[in-house]
Amino acid sequence: MFQLERNAFGRLVLTLADATVHEGVVPVRAFPLAAPEEGLSLVSVEGGEVAWVPHLDALDPATRALIEQELAGREFAPTVLRIEAVSSFSTPSTWSVVTDRGPTRFVLKGEEDIRRLADGALLIASAEGINFRIADRWGLDRRSRGMLERFL
């Protein structure tokens, strides 16, 4: 298949089965929200795909760990655990939430910035450009669900 390692500068180096070496590759998920474990492309610095991984489980643990480290540094989508307050039930409104990365506030410009995903998941795009994820809107506490329902 291929070999992946970090060089002395912290960049990913991909060596293919035919001994071709690509330095500075970047992992890119094909379906980051719907199927994060499936379909991953390793892209060269020139922007072309140099390797395809159909499923992360197909990788050895060390290679998977390298890819997941790299993705964690590039992907930032905090998961909302609880909605504390909403400034107004019309938009724009300021939301105070507790996420898996701590409490924060963001501005929701419009209802269209809330996208429904599979299995009750939601993606909320803030006015600041940060995407917040709700893994399961039915799993939120009753108060949070009540505030959220006003926008759906």
Side-chain angles (χ1 to χ4, degrees), residues 83-134:
I83 302 170
E84 296 284 312
V86 175
S87 66
S88 166
F89 290 113
S90 61
T91 54
S93 60
T94 302
W95 292 39
S96 297
V97 299
V98 175
T99 72
D100 60 340
R101 300 180 190 233
T104 192
R105 294 168 46 126
F106 65 87
V107 174
L108 178 70
K109 291 187 296 186
E111 288 89 359
E112 65 276 1
D113 292 325
I114 300 176
R115 273 188 38 211
R116 294 174 193 251
L117 303 173
D119 300 324
L122 300 169
L123 187 66
I124 303 171
S126 74
E128 298 83 8
I130 297 173
N131 288 316
F132 292 86
R133 181 168 165 53
I134 296 178

Side-chain angles (χ1 to χ4, degrees), residues 65-82:
L66 277 174
I67 288 174
E68 287 177 342
Q69 280 177 340
E70 195 72 17
L71 289 169
R74 296 182 61 230
E75 297 174 345
F76 181 72
T79 299
V80 173
L81 305 174
R82 187 173 64 249

